[in-house]
Amino acid sequence: MSTLIFIGLAASLLIYAAARLSRPLGALLLMLLSGAGVAALILSWGKGFTETLPLGNGLELTFSLSTFNWPFLLLGAFVLFIVSLFAVNALKEMEQGASFLALLTLIGVSVLGVFGAYDFLTLFIFFELMTWTSFFLVSMGKTGAKKAALIYAFMSMIAAYLMISAIMMIAKYTGSFSYSDFMGMYEAMPSGIRTTVIIFFLAAALIKGGIYPVHFWLRSAHGDAPHVFSPVLSGLLVKYGYYSAYLFLLFFPVMVATKAGITQVTSTNGPNFILAFIGGLSIMAGTVAAILQSDAKKLVAFSSVSHGGYVILALAYGTNMAVAGGLAHIWVHVLTALGMFLSMAAVAYRTGTTDMDEMGGLIKNMPVTFTVYLIAIISVAGIPPLAGFVSKWMIIQALAANGSYILAFMAFFGSIGSFMYVFRPLATIFLGQRPHKFKDVKEVPFFMQLSMLVVTLLTILLGIMPYYLLKPFTRIQEFIGMEPVRIGFSTVYSALTQLDMMLVFLVFGGSFLLALFIFLLFAKPTKVEQHEVYTSGEIAPEISTTPEIYHFSKGYYRSFGRLFSRWPSVEAWYHKGASYISQFFEIIEQSLFKQSINGFIWLAVLVMAVLMAVRWF
Amino acid sequence: MIMQNPVLLIAVPLLLAFLIPVFSSFFKGAVRFIPVLAGGFNVIATALLISRASGSVTVTEIGGWASAYGISLLFSSQIGYVILAVNLTALLAIFYYTLNERDLGSPLAYPIAFTLALSGANGMIMTGDLFNLFVFMEMTAIAGYIIAVHKKGYLGTFRFVVLSSVGSALFLMATAALYNATGFLNMTLAGKSLGALAAPFISIISVLFIMALSSEAELLPLNGWVAPVYKESSGAGSVFFASVFSGAALFAVIKVMLIVFGNNYAYVHQGLLVLGLVTLAAGEAAAFKQSNLKKMVAYSSIAQSGLIIAAVAAAMRSGVLHNGLFSAALFQLINNILAKALVLLGIALLGLATLKEIGGAGTRKKWLGVFISAGVLSLIGMPGFAGFWSKLFLVRELVGSGMFVFTLVFLLAALFEAYYYLRFLQSLFLGKSTTAASLPKTSWVTTILLFVLAALIILIGFAPDVIIRAISGLSLGGVL
């Protein structure tokens, strides 16, 4: 794998040069590279290897491909493949498209290193590579992107430094950085140190995964990043947080622990319950905040917060059904994040905006984009027969079967609340009345459609045949010694009941066909002018409409917003804290570095006196 | 063989500096080439000395006088790498001056000052005698006064003169007192005879030494001169301050601490540890608010000096030198010397002063942008660059020694440092400039200079092996 990393590094230069000649060429090269990665990973299903790259002086980097990280590596390659396919057309107007593609290749390299690492030093090195490359990529967006990128980098560096402290503590007690030594010495480490290490890593995972309350960087970072980069940010980089949580909540402890009682509920274990509760809070906070957004991408960003909550809730809960559901939900979220962000990017490509209040009626112009978005949101809301339903079903099964009603309520809240927020872009962007300025908007070019349709197809297929979604994760469960969830080709068996997705799909499909049949044969629709549908010809000046506009998408959920207007906002706290720190720094500069000779001499005398006095007394 | 004598590193530039006015009267080109000659000789001589040196310190007694009566120079492969970094950046700065900045007023003053500074810096690093250290400190300080006056930096230079003089006076007092009490000016011998002296006396002396050296080493409390001087000085001048002077002075502080106060003076090192950490925190805090680029780098330089001193003090805290922490601190010193030089040269080449003015300059001059990024990313500690390894080793040694408060302060400072440097890079590549000034053209030779530095940083970043092996495993054996 180290050769792959060097190839990736060289490829980034090559892709930069190619993209300077012609943007689509550079994107195609990246697509071929990541497509080759996807193919290679699928072909090496079931195989594994470990590889060491010595750096001299006792330092070495260890890489590994094995059951436990195969799904994540595949996820990385897949996201890059889809996004670079999309980017073949989408980067035309971007100012620094060549640097964008080169940095994206470097992100691919860093993801390879992060997910493929088998020791903590490698993990950290590639995590930092990921941080600074993604910092530049986020900065390339529209106005406000630079501030967003700085907040994102700041939070990522906090996560990085938490990790490096924990890693060095591990190195001190086990004498090396590798995962296997850590697992070997896991029981022997002093429990205080072990707890600190786990807390630091989990805190870093929460920050990077965008979980409440350290989620506030997500909104501006996803919202203001370049449209082509937001899918990568949400679909891939945030997954590092989930991967880290997976390692420390699941992989390490269970590999080490005895095999007795694996299906027992672990949520009664205090710390795990706290973490699960944080996940639940994140679900609810993300859902509510998403409902209040009026920018499409920021709305989807909060949806990521909410889904991160599902993953953390499930992984912290610990029963085999919950774990399998949580891990599967990672993949489901990848698909839905790609679907939603790519369709928003497609809309922005043609209309130049993501502000939902400005748009409407684009279903007539962009039917493919509409379909992609529709399938994505059906999956997000957890509606059968798509993939989102499978993972959410499993999580809620696990919660309900073990009697955790509060957490189950939080999970339901997320599902139901998501109906509200996913519907808004659908209604405000695609349905309703189309503004005049968007009359001639066309559907997006071929490659962009292709990439979106691949995602849609996968969402549908994995929903009908959840075997392909769940098999990698049940194999992980076997690998680490947990009892795997029983799955059939399209069936999932839980302790209470079973779910047959093929049956669900047939029922849904059959009902849809029946309804279509009835509609085509018997219903005689009457065409009406659009304004007649909305206001029966009445003008509503208090909502500042003009006679032509009857599509009320401004203030869509205003009454809902009033319900939550006085709730605390973590983002506001962060900004207040930042301004306090800023003022404090100003005071330091004024007092210690003021430019006057008297001041300097007094300072020198003061320091001398303090130093001597400390010794004397 | 004559080439094995490290005194040449001091003597040759000194001689050449005095020859500049002599030659310039009949050969105008002398002014341009002699400093380059001095720098080049030093780099090559250092490389040769390193190849012949070992891990333990060799003492060269000048003139054959025994240590108690004469001046001795210390050299080892570890010291050699620090000298190499200092001489290399001095050479690059001199090249830069020769190519780009010959309009700095008096055509004689700057070459003389650069060459004198080179000699003095090498002297400060190598000397094993306290009064000799004072002499070289004065020499570099005077050269620094000349370098600091660029086009209009008179007030800043004046403040520098005052503070530096205070430092020098304190140093002279401390040296005289020590000489009087122990009868030795040689560091090793004086350090060995400290045991016979009263503890309050030792504490006063140590405080005086720390205060004295803090001026040129950019530590609190005598570092108020740093920011305005960096801001007003020329490109080559700021590189001299950041890399040559501060590197040499820091190493001098380290030497005095280790050799004179090495045997179980925990309170000295404890005090210096606190001072270093406060400098680190204050430096990063002040840098955070800066919009002038050179001042930002100046405060960052202050903070890094504090970090290095704190790390060395922590290594000495328990009375026995903690090798790992010491080598990590020296590695950080070397990385800082290289990276600061790169960043400052890059900023000088852009010719722009503030964050707002610099907007988008990196896209107009791509190579310059890449080189500056290499330096900045190394300072932040990103992998692929040298600074990553030094930060990693520092954290490892600190956590390994259980120094959690230090680690916390260090990581917090690094966090804010990353923030403002990343903000700088953002402006460099993605901003919109508020001035319509066109960027000065860069000759290909200057580009090669920057390329050398950047390549070195990236090389160390990917293969830190050579440096680590040379730096670690050092003991100041035979001297301590």
Side-chain angles (χ1 to χ4, degrees), chain B residues 255-313:
Chain B
K255 237 185 352 182
V256 169
M257 279 169 59
L258 276 183
I259 302 179
V260 179
F261 297 103
N263 301 315
N264 284 315
Y265 292 110
Y267 55 88
V268 173
H269 304 294
Q270 190 71 28
L272 207 52
L273 173 61
V274 172
L275 196 61
L277 284 181
V278 172
T279 311
L280 171 63
E284 298 296 2
F288 194 79
K289 302 286 302 167
Q290 296 303 319
S291 56
N292 182 293
L293 296 171
K294 287 229 194 97
K295 282 177 91 163
M296 187 176 83
V297 177
Y299 283 120
S300 169
S301 184
I302 289 177
Q304 292 297 310
S305 304
L307 170 67
I308 292 170
I309 287 297
V312 174

Side-chain angles (χ1 to χ4, degrees), chain B residues 334-416:
Chain B
I334 293 180
N335 286 339
N336 272 354
I337 291 176
L338 295 174
K340 287 258 157 49
L342 184 54
V343 174
L344 284 169
L345 279 181
I347 292 178
L349 272 175
L350 284 176
L352 298 165
T354 66
L355 276 179
K356 290 206 175 61
E357 287 173 16
I358 212 174
T363 48
R364 284 188 274 161
K365 310 205 74 175
K366 290 216 164 49
W367 282 113
L368 197 52
V370 169
F371 293 146
I372 294 181
S373 306
V376 169
L377 289 172
S378 180
L379 283 171
I380 300 178
M382 288 295 153
F385 303 98
F388 172 72
W389 295 110
S390 58
K391 277 214 159 81
L392 192 77
F393 292 147
L394 268 174
V395 177
R396 180 172 73 178
E397 297 301 333
L398 287 174
V399 172
S401 320
M403 310 195 66
F404 295 121
V405 175
F406 192 155
T407 316
L408 182 64
V409 175
F410 173 40
L411 289 178
L412 274 178
L415 195 60
F416 286 105

Side-chain angles (χ1 to χ4, degrees), chain A residues 64-258:
Chain A
S64 151
L65 169 66
S66 162
T67 319
F68 81 97
N69 60 1
W70 185 88
F72 293 94
L73 283 168
L74 181 63
L75 185 162
F78 176 71
V79 169
L80 271 184
F81 172 68
I82 294 287
V83 171
S84 50
L85 187 57
F86 190 82
V88 171
N89 296 122
L91 284 182
K92 279 239 173 61
E93 280 107 46
M94 180 175 253
E95 259 179 38
Q96 295 173 328
S99 318
F100 184 89
L101 285 169
L103 285 170
L104 207 56
T105 320
L106 283 178
I107 293 229
V109 168
S110 65
V111 160
L112 200 63
V114 163
F115 290 145
Y118 204 65
D119 75 275
F120 290 108
L121 186 63
T122 317
L123 182 71
F124 182 70
I125 289 179
F126 286 98
F127 176 81
E128 291 241 292
L129 178 66
M130 196 164 86
T131 302
W132 68 261
T133 45
S134 54
F135 166 76
F136 279 120
L137 283 168
V138 173
S139 308
M140 286 183 191
K142 51 188 187 184
T143 51
K146 302 219 294 234
K147 194 74 192 188
L150 282 174
I151 300 180
Y152 165 66
F154 189 71
M155 298 304 289
S156 292
M157 295 301 286
I158 293 181
Y161 290 144
L162 281 170
M163 279 169 54
I164 194 64
S165 314
I167 290 174
M168 288 311 173
M169 281 193 252
I170 292 176
K172 179 177 174 186
Y173 282 97
T174 63
S176 92
F177 291 115
S178 85
Y179 287 178
S180 37
D181 285 345
F182 177 60
M183 288 191 276
M185 304 265 312
Y186 194 80
E187 296 293 316
M189 277 171 72
S191 73
I193 299 289
R194 190 172 63 221
T195 315
T196 314
V197 164
I198 293 179
I199 290 182
F200 277 9
F201 261 102
L202 284 177
L206 290 184
I207 292 177
K208 207 54 189 160
I211 310 295
Y212 189 86
V214 282
H215 65 297
F216 48 86
W217 60 268
L218 260 180
R219 184 182 79 105
S220 37
H222 287 237
D224 293 329
H227 301 307
V228 183
F229 186 63
S230 296
V232 177
L233 192 53
S234 176
L236 185 51
L237 300 182
V238 155
K239 300 301 174 288
Y240 168 76
Y242 306 160
Y243 179 69
S244 183
Y246 152 70
L247 280 182
F248 277 86
L249 282 174
L250 193 65
F251 183 62
F252 291 136
V254 180
M255 279 289 266
V256 172
T258 59

